[in-house]
Amino acid sequence: MAALVFDLGGTHLRSAIADDKASLLNIKKKRIKSFIHNYSPADIWNEIINEIVNYSSDAQSLITKESPIIISFPGPVEFPSRIINAPTVVGNNDAIPDLVEKVKHITGRQTYIINDVSAAAWYFSNKIDSNRFIVVTVSSGIGSKVFDRGKVKGVLDDVPFAGEIGHIVIDRKNDALLCDCGGKGHLGAISSGRGVERFARIEANRDRINFNKSVCAATFHGSPDNLTNEDHIVPAAKLGDLWTINVISQCSRPLATILLFLTAAFGLDKVVIIGGFALSLDEIYKCILQKEMADICDYALLSNKIDDLLVMGDADEEACLKGAAVYSLNI
Ligand SMILES: [Zn+2]
């Protein structure tokens, strides 16, 4: 049975038809209105719904009447279909429509919505043969989902907080870094790509002498006020700069602790790392996180496993679309 699959991101809506082997046809990528450019939430939701409806209507000759719609969504979803919030789509706005009901009503098709990290977990379930793994995204924030092949539903995401590890407080100090959600000392405030950038600026200000010797400053002309991942931190880490590697290591330490707990608690056999920041550093990031995990693991049954635990996920920009396609085979 073919399915219509959609991946909603903060800036684009991707659409495709998935065949009964989860291969994609007719891929379309459309830039959508953003709250950053002052479009109202109603305008943005209407555009998204219209795009999904129009794509479905145009694709009719390639699908059947029974073909369902699967939407990968960039925010927490309460099973079966309630969107909790959508900060990357409409900012902090609570007027969230029942997207699934509206699309289902207009198209007459069964419609499903899954969180985007869940979609990524479905994607990797088709790529790796691990029985129980966690997908962790390290980008502007941090999120995760566990996949268990022994479960009919695969991804453990039937409660809306499943995988929201980025909002656990790991630093209770008064001057702890602020998370994008407004909370203080959250895992996502320090271990994310944005967290690394913030912490690097603080470290550069705190110890100017050593910062000035770093590749970030000496080669890439960064200053404590303008350090960015793209222009300074990632390229310096790729050159093996010790100051930069140390900054990333310190930021990764809380994530390493949490991943070790999750690995022990769930009996995970793989930790799949995705997300723009982590993938931009690729094997360097893997080495840093692996070392941080090894340093705090003092239990032989688990420490023997750490060298073989982390995988850098080769997620391309269509991974969530492909994951929605795999999900369609498991409805
Ligand atoms: Zn938070």
Side-chain angles (χ1 to χ4, degrees), residues 22-82:
S23 298
L24 301 182
L25 321 161
N26 250 19
I27 299 170
K28 182 181 168 194
K29 177 179 173 182
K30 162 110 167 75
R31 195 174 185 88
I32 50 169
K33 291 172 181 166
S34 172
F35 71 98
I36 292 166
H37 302 121
N38 297 322
Y39 284 103
S40 72
D43 274 353
I44 297 169
W45 290 117
N46 281 338
E47 184 185 34
I48 291 165
I49 291 166
N50 285 339
E51 274 299 314
I52 293 175
V53 168
N54 291 340
Y55 183 90
S56 306
S57 159
D58 292 347
Q60 277 194 29
S61 62
L62 299 166
I63 53 177
T64 68
K65 266 194 207 158
E66 287 74 34
S67 298
I69 289 174
I70 300 57
I71 303 166
S72 162
F73 187 79
V77 176
E78 182 171 22
F79 184 81
S81 63
R82 189 169 80 87

Side-chain angles (χ1 to χ4, degrees), residues 166-167 179-183 186:
H167 303 293
C179 183
D180 282 352
C181 76
H186 292 188

Side-chain angles (χ1 to χ4, degrees), residues 257-270:
T257 307
I258 284 181
L259 290 180
L260 203 57
F261 275 131
L262 292 173
T263 301
F266 283 106
L268 303 173
D269 46 23
K270 283 282 179 251

